[in-house]
Amino acid sequence: MADMIPEPRSMASHGDGFFELDADTALVAQEGAERTARWLRDTLGAACGLPLPTRPDARDNAVRLSLDPAVTEELGAEGYRLAVTPAGVHLAGGGPAGLFWGAQTLRQLLGPDAFRRAPLPGRTWRLPLSLVQDAPRFRWRGLMLDVARHFMPKEGVLRYLDLMAAHKLNVFHFHLTDDQGWRIRIERHPRLTEVGSWRARTKFGHRASLLWEEKPHGGHYTQDDIREIVAYAAERHITVVPEIDVPGHSQAAITAYPELGNTDVVDTASLTVWDSWGISPNVLAPTDNTLRFYEEVFEEVLELFPSEFIHVGGDECLKDQWRASPAAQARIKELGLADEDELQAWFVGHFAAWLSARGRRVIGWDEILEGGIAEGAAVASWRGFGGGIAAARAGHDVVMCPEQHVYLDHRQADGADEPVPIGYVRTLEDVYRFEPVPPGLDASLTHRVLGTQANLWTEVMENPARVDYQAFPRLAAFAEVAWSALPAPAERDFTAFERRMAAHYRRLDALGVGYRPPAGPLPWQRRPGVPGRPIDGPPPSR
């Protein structure tokens, strides 16, 4: 029982006995528990080879699911209480989400083989007699997956939603557009995917690399694909937050529709979907035509994604073209703005107001603080903690995702075999000791920290196996940071966490996750001769 990840708030054993599930074990779901019952029967039933029949009057040899106002009052809507007795199991949730997270704990208690898709012969399924009471620390426990740089087909996305659910992560930040590809079909503007979703070739390694993969790369999700992904996530109590980048990181869109770019300073008709990495100078023109175009994009996005937040990027917008553009300079003068930073703030603010009028909230990277930030906007603080602290002090909600700590594309060790080493060394222990609420934030403002998020940028992740390698096992440590009420970083018992990880590696094996082994990359996980961009020394603390 002590090997659960993330670690529950409290666990108590009721002796050395077990409750054993068998072919007669019933699944009893009270009102509001139907979604978790369906997941248990489909997923756990398949792994265990048990039918888990419905018998509403079952008093023993049953797994009973219910919603309990007392759990809600004590532990919140995402909290749960799991009691295993000789007669069976009672799982009570503060709400449907809490019930589902309790089901994830139940699965872990059954052992690693419960994470398989079919039963192993001769296996028995026993739960230790115990009481688990649990609830998350943060409401936003996120994972950002960049599918713009390297496209991940729909089945891979659904698999990552399952992996998130197994770790009690509940926000999937879906990075759908960038200079290197546009991944969501927009019916009103079909060239975004007909043209913008494919590039002719791809840089292999860091942008300074001389290596190229000389074949087209691309792909996109149809709107039905998106509906399926959103529905699949909702079944697992995961919210999908889409990101549509404006005004920078937009070369793929400009390639598809050249009039969106700064046509008075660059021949946008000659642009192609970018085949390298870094920050493209080609940004959106601050025209009414561009605003109307993206309003039409967002209209379709809102129909597909019911999330409270819509991410608009706002990061790394190079302003050289605006400085050189007579049209952009005229716009600055017309609006009475001081400079290009305020022009970007006006651009993002337009969509913040537009989304707010439709009952949604904008979130953007911390550059949206520059030049002024729209009322009600939330900030994803990626350039350290400073942006998040500034946003909280200004009355804005924050998601902490500092590059130096939870960018999982950064390398995991400093060995020569580490594949395409990027950024600082961020070990499993480093991630486990990450603290989302920085000491520089006044205690009266900590409620502004909605939570935290780990980010997977895929420039050097050319296939799902590379994504697995970069994500795991560090995502397991991150999940515990986001869920569990851990002590201060220096006081965290990493040795105990490593012991629990010994069991968790077996779960990851059963799930087919190609994680980085503790001893270092396996031969097929290495990328000899592919240059990265390692940064030596400890990352900055702020």
PDB file of all heavy atoms in Angstrom, residues 337-373:
ATOM      1  N   LEU A 337      -0.720  54.226 -28.627  1.00  0.00           N
ATOM      2  CA  LEU A 337       0.141  53.335 -27.861  1.00  0.00           C
ATOM      3  C   LEU A 337       1.559  53.873 -27.799  1.00  0.00           C
ATOM      4  O   LEU A 337       1.981  54.652 -28.665  1.00  0.00           O
ATOM      5  CB  LEU A 337       0.147  51.932 -28.487  1.00  0.00           C
ATOM      6  CG  LEU A 337      -1.233  51.285 -28.665  1.00  0.00           C
ATOM      7  CD1 LEU A 337      -1.108  49.943 -29.374  1.00  0.00           C
ATOM      8  CD2 LEU A 337      -1.930  51.110 -27.308  1.00  0.00           C
ATOM      9  N   ALA A 338       2.297  53.432 -26.805  1.00  0.00           N
ATOM     10  CA  ALA A 338       3.654  53.938 -26.609  1.00  0.00           C
ATOM     11  C   ALA A 338       4.660  53.243 -27.510  1.00  0.00           C
ATOM     12  O   ALA A 338       5.613  53.876 -27.983  1.00  0.00           O
ATOM     13  CB  ALA A 338       4.063  53.779 -25.141  1.00  0.00           C
ATOM     14  N   ASP A 339       4.486  51.945 -27.750  1.00  0.00           N
ATOM     15  CA  ASP A 339       5.512  51.195 -28.473  1.00  0.00           C
ATOM     16  C   ASP A 339       4.965  49.846 -28.914  1.00  0.00           C
ATOM     17  O   ASP A 339       3.773  49.547 -28.766  1.00  0.00           O
ATOM     18  CB  ASP A 339       6.755  50.997 -27.596  1.00  0.00           C
ATOM     19  CG  ASP A 339       6.436  50.365 -26.241  1.00  0.00           C
ATOM     20  OD1 ASP A 339       5.376  49.704 -26.119  1.00  0.00           O
ATOM     21  OD2 ASP A 339       7.250  50.523 -25.308  1.00  0.00           O
ATOM     22  N   GLU A 340       5.860  49.008 -29.441  1.00  0.00           N
ATOM     23  CA  GLU A 340       5.468  47.696 -29.954  1.00  0.00           C
ATOM     24  C   GLU A 340       5.023  46.749 -28.841  1.00  0.00           C
ATOM     25  O   GLU A 340       4.179  45.865 -29.073  1.00  0.00           O
ATOM     26  CB  GLU A 340       6.612  47.076 -30.749  1.00  0.00           C
ATOM     27  CG  GLU A 340       6.920  47.776 -32.068  1.00  0.00           C
ATOM     28  CD  GLU A 340       7.701  49.081 -31.883  1.00  0.00           C
ATOM     29  OE1 GLU A 340       8.279  49.261 -30.775  1.00  0.00           O
ATOM     30  OE2 GLU A 340       7.727  49.910 -32.817  1.00  0.00           O
ATOM     31  N   ASP A 341       5.579  46.907 -27.633  1.00  0.00           N
ATOM     32  CA  ASP A 341       5.114  46.071 -26.523  1.00  0.00           C
ATOM     33  C   ASP A 341       3.638  46.336 -26.234  1.00  0.00           C
ATOM     34  O   ASP A 341       2.856  45.406 -26.005  1.00  0.00           O
ATOM     35  CB  ASP A 341       5.940  46.326 -25.266  1.00  0.00           C
ATOM     36  CG  ASP A 341       7.315  45.679 -25.332  1.00  0.00           C
ATOM     37  OD1 ASP A 341       7.521  44.796 -26.190  1.00  0.00           O
ATOM     38  OD2 ASP A 341       8.191  46.073 -24.530  1.00  0.00           O
ATOM     39  N   GLU A 342       3.260  47.608 -26.242  1.00  0.00           N
ATOM     40  CA  GLU A 342       1.855  47.927 -26.011  1.00  0.00           C
ATOM     41  C   GLU A 342       0.986  47.477 -27.187  1.00  0.00           C
ATOM     42  O   GLU A 342      -0.184  47.137 -27.004  1.00  0.00           O
ATOM     43  CB  GLU A 342       1.686  49.421 -25.753  1.00  0.00           C
ATOM     44  CG  GLU A 342       2.224  49.853 -24.397  1.00  0.00           C
ATOM     45  CD  GLU A 342       1.765  51.235 -23.991  1.00  0.00           C
ATOM     46  OE1 GLU A 342       0.950  51.850 -24.735  1.00  0.00           O
ATOM     47  OE2 GLU A 342       2.204  51.718 -22.926  1.00  0.00           O
ATOM     48  N   LEU A 343       1.566  47.431 -28.383  1.00  0.00           N
ATOM     49  CA  LEU A 343       0.820  46.919 -29.530  1.00  0.00           C
ATOM     50  C   LEU A 343       0.507  45.435 -29.335  1.00  0.00           C
ATOM     51  O   LEU A 343      -0.606  44.982 -29.624  1.00  0.00           O
ATOM     52  CB  LEU A 343       1.609  47.139 -30.816  1.00  0.00           C
ATOM     53  CG  LEU A 343       0.922  46.681 -32.115  1.00  0.00           C
ATOM     54  CD1 LEU A 343      -0.367  47.461 -32.348  1.00  0.00           C
ATOM     55  CD2 LEU A 343       1.862  46.841 -33.312  1.00  0.00           C
ATOM     56  N   GLN A 344       1.483  44.679 -28.846  1.00  0.00           N
ATOM     57  CA  GLN A 344       1.212  43.274 -28.573  1.00  0.00           C
ATOM     58  C   GLN A 344       0.164  43.136 -27.479  1.00  0.00           C
ATOM     59  O   GLN A 344      -0.719  42.276 -27.563  1.00  0.00           O
ATOM     60  CB  GLN A 344       2.480  42.526 -28.171  1.00  0.00           C
ATOM     61  CG  GLN A 344       2.197  41.070 -27.792  1.00  0.00           C
ATOM     62  CD  GLN A 344       3.437  40.249 -27.542  1.00  0.00           C
ATOM     63  OE1 GLN A 344       4.491  40.550 -28.066  1.00  0.00           O
ATOM     64  NE2 GLN A 344       3.300  39.201 -26.742  1.00  0.00           N
ATOM     65  N   ALA A 345       0.257  43.953 -26.425  1.00  0.00           N
ATOM     66  CA  ALA A 345      -0.732  43.901 -25.353  1.00  0.00           C
ATOM     67  C   ALA A 345      -2.129  44.217 -25.894  1.00  0.00           C
ATOM     68  O   ALA A 345      -3.119  43.587 -25.493  1.00  0.00           O
ATOM     69  CB  ALA A 345      -0.360  44.877 -24.243  1.00  0.00           C
ATOM     70  N   TRP A 346      -2.203  45.161 -26.821  1.00  0.00           N
ATOM     71  CA  TRP A 346      -3.498  45.470 -27.448  1.00  0.00           C
ATOM     72  C   TRP A 346      -4.002  44.269 -28.240  1.00  0.00           C
ATOM     73  O   TRP A 346      -5.196  43.923 -28.178  1.00  0.00           O
ATOM     74  CB  TRP A 346      -3.326  46.679 -28.372  1.00  0.00           C
ATOM     75  CG  TRP A 346      -4.485  46.857 -29.320  1.00  0.00           C
ATOM     76  CD1 TRP A 346      -5.677  47.448 -29.051  1.00  0.00           C
ATOM     77  CD2 TRP A 346      -4.547  46.408 -30.679  1.00  0.00           C
ATOM     78  NE1 TRP A 346      -6.493  47.397 -30.159  1.00  0.00           N
ATOM     79  CE2 TRP A 346      -5.813  46.768 -31.175  1.00  0.00           C
ATOM     80  CE3 TRP A 346      -3.657  45.751 -31.530  1.00  0.00           C
ATOM     81  CZ2 TRP A 346      -6.219  46.485 -32.478  1.00  0.00           C
ATOM     82  CZ3 TRP A 346      -4.047  45.466 -32.827  1.00  0.00           C
ATOM     83  CH2 TRP A 346      -5.310  45.824 -33.297  1.00  0.00           C
ATOM     84  N   PHE A 347      -3.114  43.607 -28.957  1.00  0.00           N
ATOM     85  CA  PHE A 347      -3.488  42.457 -29.780  1.00  0.00           C
ATOM     86  C   PHE A 347      -4.048  41.334 -28.892  1.00  0.00           C
ATOM     87  O   PHE A 347      -5.142  40.806 -29.134  1.00  0.00           O
ATOM     88  CB  PHE A 347      -2.251  41.960 -30.545  1.00  0.00           C
ATOM     89  CG  PHE A 347      -2.547  41.115 -31.746  1.00  0.00           C
ATOM     90  CD1 PHE A 347      -2.305  41.587 -33.015  1.00  0.00           C
ATOM     91  CD2 PHE A 347      -3.060  39.842 -31.608  1.00  0.00           C
ATOM     92  CE1 PHE A 347      -2.560  40.808 -34.136  1.00  0.00           C
ATOM     93  CE2 PHE A 347      -3.324  39.047 -32.714  1.00  0.00           C
ATOM     94  CZ  PHE A 347      -3.076  39.537 -33.979  1.00  0.00           C
ATOM     95  N   VAL A 348      -3.304  40.967 -27.838  1.00  0.00           N
ATOM     96  CA  VAL A 348      -3.758  39.917 -26.931  1.00  0.00           C
ATOM     97  C   VAL A 348      -5.007  40.367 -26.177  1.00  0.00           C
ATOM     98  O   VAL A 348      -5.939  39.580 -25.969  1.00  0.00           O
ATOM     99  CB  VAL A 348      -2.629  39.532 -25.957  1.00  0.00           C
ATOM    100  CG1 VAL A 348      -3.144  38.574 -24.888  1.00  0.00           C
ATOM    101  CG2 VAL A 348      -1.459  38.911 -26.714  1.00  0.00           C
ATOM    102  N   GLY A 349      -5.022  41.640 -25.777  1.00  0.00           N
ATOM    103  CA  GLY A 349      -6.176  42.155 -25.055  1.00  0.00           C
ATOM    104  C   GLY A 349      -7.458  42.105 -25.869  1.00  0.00           C
ATOM    105  O   GLY A 349      -8.551  41.902 -25.317  1.00  0.00           O
ATOM    106  N   HIS A 350      -7.335  42.273 -27.184  1.00  0.00           N
ATOM    107  CA  HIS A 350      -8.518  42.169 -28.049  1.00  0.00           C
ATOM    108  C   HIS A 350      -9.157  40.799 -27.898  1.00  0.00           C
ATOM    109  O   HIS A 350     -10.389  40.687 -27.742  1.00  0.00           O
ATOM    110  CB  HIS A 350      -8.124  42.419 -29.507  1.00  0.00           C
ATOM    111  CG  HIS A 350      -9.248  42.157 -30.473  1.00  0.00           C
ATOM    112  ND1 HIS A 350     -10.167  43.125 -30.815  1.00  0.00           N
ATOM    113  CD2 HIS A 350      -9.613  41.024 -31.146  1.00  0.00           C
ATOM    114  CE1 HIS A 350     -11.057  42.604 -31.653  1.00  0.00           C
ATOM    115  NE2 HIS A 350     -10.731  41.337 -31.873  1.00  0.00           N
ATOM    116  N   PHE A 351      -8.329  39.757 -27.924  1.00  0.00           N
ATOM    117  CA  PHE A 351      -8.884  38.409 -27.836  1.00  0.00           C
ATOM    118  C   PHE A 351      -9.290  38.045 -26.417  1.00  0.00           C
ATOM    119  O   PHE A 351     -10.210  37.242 -26.213  1.00  0.00           O
ATOM    120  CB  PHE A 351      -7.898  37.401 -28.429  1.00  0.00           C
ATOM    121  CG  PHE A 351      -7.799  37.526 -29.922  1.00  0.00           C
ATOM    122  CD1 PHE A 351      -6.706  38.141 -30.515  1.00  0.00           C
ATOM    123  CD2 PHE A 351      -8.836  37.093 -30.736  1.00  0.00           C
ATOM    124  CE1 PHE A 351      -6.643  38.292 -31.884  1.00  0.00           C
ATOM    125  CE2 PHE A 351      -8.778  37.242 -32.109  1.00  0.00           C
ATOM    126  CZ  PHE A 351      -7.680  37.835 -32.688  1.00  0.00           C
ATOM    127  N   ALA A 352      -8.654  38.668 -25.428  1.00  0.00           N
ATOM    128  CA  ALA A 352      -9.103  38.460 -24.051  1.00  0.00           C
ATOM    129  C   ALA A 352     -10.520  38.986 -23.885  1.00  0.00           C
ATOM    130  O   ALA A 352     -11.378  38.320 -23.279  1.00  0.00           O
ATOM    131  CB  ALA A 352      -8.150  39.146 -23.083  1.00  0.00           C
ATOM    132  N   ALA A 353     -10.779  40.183 -24.418  1.00  0.00           N
ATOM    133  CA  ALA A 353     -12.122  40.756 -24.320  1.00  0.00           C
ATOM    134  C   ALA A 353     -13.116  39.954 -25.164  1.00  0.00           C
ATOM    135  O   ALA A 353     -14.262  39.719 -24.742  1.00  0.00           O
ATOM    136  CB  ALA A 353     -12.091  42.221 -24.773  1.00  0.00           C
ATOM    137  N   TRP A 354     -12.686  39.541 -26.339  1.00  0.00           N
ATOM    138  CA  TRP A 354     -13.561  38.769 -27.234  1.00  0.00           C
ATOM    139  C   TRP A 354     -13.951  37.444 -26.576  1.00  0.00           C
ATOM    140  O   TRP A 354     -15.115  37.038 -26.612  1.00  0.00           O
ATOM    141  CB  TRP A 354     -12.815  38.532 -28.553  1.00  0.00           C
ATOM    142  CG  TRP A 354     -13.641  37.945 -29.651  1.00  0.00           C
ATOM    143  CD1 TRP A 354     -14.355  38.611 -30.598  1.00  0.00           C
ATOM    144  CD2 TRP A 354     -13.818  36.536 -29.920  1.00  0.00           C
ATOM    145  NE1 TRP A 354     -14.975  37.722 -31.446  1.00  0.00           N
ATOM    146  CE2 TRP A 354     -14.665  36.445 -31.049  1.00  0.00           C
ATOM    147  CE3 TRP A 354     -13.359  35.379 -29.324  1.00  0.00           C
ATOM    148  CZ2 TRP A 354     -15.051  35.212 -31.594  1.00  0.00           C
ATOM    149  CZ3 TRP A 354     -13.747  34.152 -29.864  1.00  0.00           C
ATOM    150  CH2 TRP A 354     -14.572  34.075 -30.969  1.00  0.00           C
ATOM    151  N   LEU A 355     -12.984  36.777 -25.965  1.00  0.00           N
ATOM    152  CA  LEU A 355     -13.276  35.506 -25.301  1.00  0.00           C
ATOM    153  C   LEU A 355     -14.124  35.718 -24.050  1.00  0.00           C
ATOM    154  O   LEU A 355     -15.032  34.936 -23.764  1.00  0.00           O
ATOM    155  CB  LEU A 355     -11.974  34.792 -24.946  1.00  0.00           C
ATOM    156  CG  LEU A 355     -11.187  34.219 -26.132  1.00  0.00           C
ATOM    157  CD1 LEU A 355      -9.768  33.854 -25.706  1.00  0.00           C
ATOM    158  CD2 LEU A 355     -11.900  33.005 -26.704  1.00  0.00           C
ATOM    159  N   SER A 356     -13.833  36.789 -23.311  1.00  0.00           N
ATOM    160  CA  SER A 356     -14.601  37.082 -22.100  1.00  0.00           C
ATOM    161  C   SER A 356     -16.074  37.316 -22.422  1.00  0.00           C
ATOM    162  O   SER A 356     -16.953  36.874 -21.673  1.00  0.00           O
ATOM    163  CB  SER A 356     -14.005  38.298 -21.389  1.00  0.00           C
ATOM    164  OG  SER A 356     -14.762  38.646 -20.250  1.00  0.00           O
ATOM    165  N   ALA A 357     -16.337  37.974 -23.541  1.00  0.00           N
ATOM    166  CA  ALA A 357     -17.719  38.237 -23.945  1.00  0.00           C
ATOM    167  C   ALA A 357     -18.467  36.947 -24.260  1.00  0.00           C
ATOM    168  O   ALA A 357     -19.705  36.933 -24.290  1.00  0.00           O
ATOM    169  CB  ALA A 357     -17.741  39.168 -25.160  1.00  0.00           C
ATOM    170  N   ARG A 358     -17.734  35.870 -24.468  1.00  0.00           N
ATOM    171  CA  ARG A 358     -18.326  34.562 -24.775  1.00  0.00           C
ATOM    172  C   ARG A 358     -18.189  33.589 -23.613  1.00  0.00           C
ATOM    173  O   ARG A 358     -18.304  32.375 -23.785  1.00  0.00           O
ATOM    174  CB  ARG A 358     -17.682  34.015 -26.053  1.00  0.00           C
ATOM    175  CG  ARG A 358     -18.153  34.784 -27.290  1.00  0.00           C
ATOM    176  CD  ARG A 358     -17.155  34.773 -28.428  1.00  0.00           C
ATOM    177  NE  ARG A 358     -17.669  35.572 -29.534  1.00  0.00           N
ATOM    178  CZ  ARG A 358     -17.588  36.909 -29.594  1.00  0.00           C
ATOM    179  NH1 ARG A 358     -16.991  37.578 -28.605  1.00  0.00           N
ATOM    180  NH2 ARG A 358     -18.089  37.564 -30.617  1.00  0.00           N
ATOM    181  N   GLY A 359     -17.898  34.133 -22.432  1.00  0.00           N
ATOM    182  CA  GLY A 359     -17.878  33.318 -21.231  1.00  0.00           C
ATOM    183  C   GLY A 359     -16.614  32.517 -21.026  1.00  0.00           C
ATOM    184  O   GLY A 359     -16.608  31.573 -20.221  1.00  0.00           O
ATOM    185  N   ARG A 360     -15.538  32.887 -21.703  1.00  0.00           N
ATOM    186  CA  ARG A 360     -14.275  32.174 -21.551  1.00  0.00           C
ATOM    187  C   ARG A 360     -13.220  33.114 -20.974  1.00  0.00           C
ATOM    188  O   ARG A 360     -13.392  34.340 -20.943  1.00  0.00           O
ATOM    189  CB  ARG A 360     -13.795  31.625 -22.893  1.00  0.00           C
ATOM    190  CG  ARG A 360     -14.806  30.787 -23.635  1.00  0.00           C
ATOM    191  CD  ARG A 360     -15.208  29.523 -22.892  1.00  0.00           C
ATOM    192  NE  ARG A 360     -16.092  28.713 -23.723  1.00  0.00           N
ATOM    193  CZ  ARG A 360     -15.692  27.728 -24.511  1.00  0.00           C
ATOM    194  NH1 ARG A 360     -14.398  27.404 -24.563  1.00  0.00           N
ATOM    195  NH2 ARG A 360     -16.561  27.056 -25.230  1.00  0.00           N
ATOM    196  N   ARG A 361     -12.098  32.516 -20.539  1.00  0.00           N
ATOM    197  CA  ARG A 361     -10.990  33.307 -20.010  1.00  0.00           C
ATOM    198  C   ARG A 361      -9.731  33.022 -20.817  1.00  0.00           C
ATOM    199  O   ARG A 361      -9.476  31.877 -21.213  1.00  0.00           O
ATOM    200  CB  ARG A 361     -10.735  32.966 -18.546  1.00  0.00           C
ATOM    201  CG  ARG A 361     -11.821  33.407 -17.600  1.00  0.00           C
ATOM    202  CD  ARG A 361     -11.478  33.016 -16.177  1.00  0.00           C
ATOM    203  NE  ARG A 361     -10.281  33.706 -15.700  1.00  0.00           N
ATOM    204  CZ  ARG A 361      -9.688  33.440 -14.540  1.00  0.00           C
ATOM    205  NH1 ARG A 361     -10.148  32.459 -13.762  1.00  0.00           N
ATOM    206  NH2 ARG A 361      -8.610  34.119 -14.160  1.00  0.00           N
ATOM    207  N   VAL A 362      -8.958  34.050 -21.024  1.00  0.00           N
ATOM    208  CA  VAL A 362      -7.708  33.895 -21.752  1.00  0.00           C
ATOM    209  C   VAL A 362      -6.589  33.557 -20.768  1.00  0.00           C
ATOM    210  O   VAL A 362      -6.564  34.028 -19.629  1.00  0.00           O
ATOM    211  CB  VAL A 362      -7.371  35.170 -22.548  1.00  0.00           C
ATOM    212  CG1 VAL A 362      -6.891  36.291 -21.645  1.00  0.00           C
ATOM    213  CG2 VAL A 362      -6.332  34.890 -23.620  1.00  0.00           C
ATOM    214  N   ILE A 363      -5.687  32.693 -21.211  1.00  0.00           N
ATOM    215  CA  ILE A 363      -4.440  32.458 -20.512  1.00  0.00           C
ATOM    216  C   ILE A 363      -3.335  32.552 -21.549  1.00  0.00           C
ATOM    217  O   ILE A 363      -3.519  32.172 -22.718  1.00  0.00           O
ATOM    218  CB  ILE A 363      -4.424  31.095 -19.781  1.00  0.00           C
ATOM    219  CG1 ILE A 363      -3.126  30.931 -18.972  1.00  0.00           C
ATOM    220  CG2 ILE A 363      -4.637  29.942 -20.740  1.00  0.00           C
ATOM    221  CD1 ILE A 363      -3.126  29.730 -18.035  1.00  0.00           C
ATOM    222  N   GLY A 364      -2.195  33.105 -21.145  1.00  0.00           N
ATOM    223  CA  GLY A 364      -1.072  33.237 -22.057  1.00  0.00           C
ATOM    224  C   GLY A 364       0.233  33.107 -21.302  1.00  0.00           C
ATOM    225  O   GLY A 364       0.275  33.150 -20.064  1.00  0.00           O
ATOM    226  N   TRP A 365       1.313  32.933 -22.054  1.00  0.00           N
ATOM    227  CA  TRP A 365       2.641  32.884 -21.443  1.00  0.00           C
ATOM    228  C   TRP A 365       2.966  34.238 -20.825  1.00  0.00           C
ATOM    229  O   TRP A 365       2.329  35.250 -21.142  1.00  0.00           O
ATOM    230  CB  TRP A 365       3.679  32.479 -22.488  1.00  0.00           C
ATOM    231  CG  TRP A 365       3.378  31.160 -23.139  1.00  0.00           C
ATOM    232  CD1 TRP A 365       2.979  30.955 -24.430  1.00  0.00           C
ATOM    233  CD2 TRP A 365       3.418  29.867 -22.518  1.00  0.00           C
ATOM    234  NE1 TRP A 365       2.781  29.612 -24.668  1.00  0.00           N
ATOM    235  CE2 TRP A 365       3.041  28.913 -23.510  1.00  0.00           C
ATOM    236  CE3 TRP A 365       3.731  29.411 -21.244  1.00  0.00           C
ATOM    237  CZ2 TRP A 365       2.979  27.545 -23.252  1.00  0.00           C
ATOM    238  CZ3 TRP A 365       3.664  28.048 -20.985  1.00  0.00           C
ATOM    239  CH2 TRP A 365       3.304  27.131 -21.979  1.00  0.00           C
ATOM    240  N   ASP A 366       3.980  34.286 -19.964  1.00  0.00           N
ATOM    241  CA  ASP A 366       4.148  35.476 -19.119  1.00  0.00           C
ATOM    242  C   ASP A 366       4.532  36.733 -19.889  1.00  0.00           C
ATOM    243  O   ASP A 366       4.473  37.831 -19.336  1.00  0.00           O
ATOM    244  CB  ASP A 366       5.119  35.210 -17.962  1.00  0.00           C
ATOM    245  CG  ASP A 366       6.473  34.693 -18.397  1.00  0.00           C
ATOM    246  OD1 ASP A 366       7.142  35.337 -19.219  1.00  0.00           O
ATOM    247  OD2 ASP A 366       6.877  33.625 -17.896  1.00  0.00           O
ATOM    248  N   GLU A 367       4.864  36.617 -21.181  1.00  0.00           N
ATOM    249  CA  GLU A 367       5.104  37.834 -21.968  1.00  0.00           C
ATOM    250  C   GLU A 367       3.861  38.710 -22.090  1.00  0.00           C
ATOM    251  O   GLU A 367       3.966  39.897 -22.420  1.00  0.00           O
ATOM    252  CB  GLU A 367       5.602  37.479 -23.378  1.00  0.00           C
ATOM    253  CG  GLU A 367       7.052  37.013 -23.430  1.00  0.00           C
ATOM    254  CD  GLU A 367       7.183  35.505 -23.378  1.00  0.00           C
ATOM    255  OE1 GLU A 367       6.300  34.829 -22.783  1.00  0.00           O
ATOM    256  OE2 GLU A 367       8.161  34.983 -23.932  1.00  0.00           O
ATOM    257  N   ILE A 368       2.673  38.139 -21.850  1.00  0.00           N
ATOM    258  CA  ILE A 368       1.468  38.971 -21.971  1.00  0.00           C
ATOM    259  C   ILE A 368       1.402  40.033 -20.877  1.00  0.00           C
ATOM    260  O   ILE A 368       0.555  40.927 -20.937  1.00  0.00           O
ATOM    261  CB  ILE A 368       0.178  38.130 -21.984  1.00  0.00           C
ATOM    262  CG1 ILE A 368      -0.085  37.479 -20.624  1.00  0.00           C
ATOM    263  CG2 ILE A 368       0.216  37.092 -23.087  1.00  0.00           C
ATOM    264  CD1 ILE A 368      -1.451  36.802 -20.541  1.00  0.00           C
ATOM    265  N   LEU A 369       2.315  39.961 -19.901  1.00  0.00           N
ATOM    266  CA  LEU A 369       2.409  41.020 -18.898  1.00  0.00           C
ATOM    267  C   LEU A 369       3.025  42.289 -19.471  1.00  0.00           C
ATOM    268  O   LEU A 369       2.805  43.386 -18.945  1.00  0.00           O
ATOM    269  CB  LEU A 369       3.255  40.548 -17.712  1.00  0.00           C
ATOM    270  CG  LEU A 369       2.637  39.480 -16.794  1.00  0.00           C
ATOM    271  CD1 LEU A 369       3.725  38.808 -15.967  1.00  0.00           C
ATOM    272  CD2 LEU A 369       1.582  40.106 -15.898  1.00  0.00           C
ATOM    273  N   GLU A 370       3.819  42.147 -20.535  1.00  0.00           N
ATOM    274  CA  GLU A 370       4.558  43.281 -21.085  1.00  0.00           C
ATOM    275  C   GLU A 370       3.611  44.203 -21.847  1.00  0.00           C
ATOM    276  O   GLU A 370       2.862  43.765 -22.706  1.00  0.00           O
ATOM    277  CB  GLU A 370       5.672  42.767 -21.996  1.00  0.00           C
ATOM    278  CG  GLU A 370       6.701  41.907 -21.262  1.00  0.00           C
ATOM    279  CD  GLU A 370       7.597  41.128 -22.208  1.00  0.00           C
ATOM    280  OE1 GLU A 370       7.461  41.308 -23.434  1.00  0.00           O
ATOM    281  OE2 GLU A 370       8.412  40.319 -21.713  1.00  0.00           O
ATOM    282  N   GLY A 371       3.644  45.468 -21.510  1.00  0.00           N
ATOM    283  CA  GLY A 371       2.776  46.439 -22.175  1.00  0.00           C
ATOM    284  C   GLY A 371       1.386  46.507 -21.591  1.00  0.00           C
ATOM    285  O   GLY A 371       0.534  47.220 -22.105  1.00  0.00           O
ATOM    286  N   GLY A 372       1.145  45.747 -20.522  1.00  0.00           N
ATOM    287  CA  GLY A 372      -0.173  45.761 -19.880  1.00  0.00           C
ATOM    288  C   GLY A 372      -0.927  44.474 -20.156  1.00  0.00           C
ATOM    289  O   GLY A 372      -0.870  43.925 -21.254  1.00  0.00           O
ATOM    290  N   ILE A 373      -1.650  43.984 -19.148  1.00  0.00           N
ATOM    291  CA  ILE A 373      -2.354  42.709 -19.247  1.00  0.00           C
ATOM    292  C   ILE A 373      -3.846  42.931 -19.086  1.00  0.00           C
ATOM    293  O   ILE A 373      -4.281  43.762 -18.284  1.00  0.00           O
ATOM    294  CB  ILE A 373      -1.823  41.714 -18.195  1.00  0.00           C
ATOM    295  CG1 ILE A 373      -2.525  40.361 -18.307  1.00  0.00           C
ATOM    296  CG2 ILE A 373      -1.949  42.275 -16.792  1.00  0.00           C
ATOM    297  CD1 ILE A 373      -1.936  39.284 -17.414  1.00  0.00           C
TER     298      ILE A 373
END
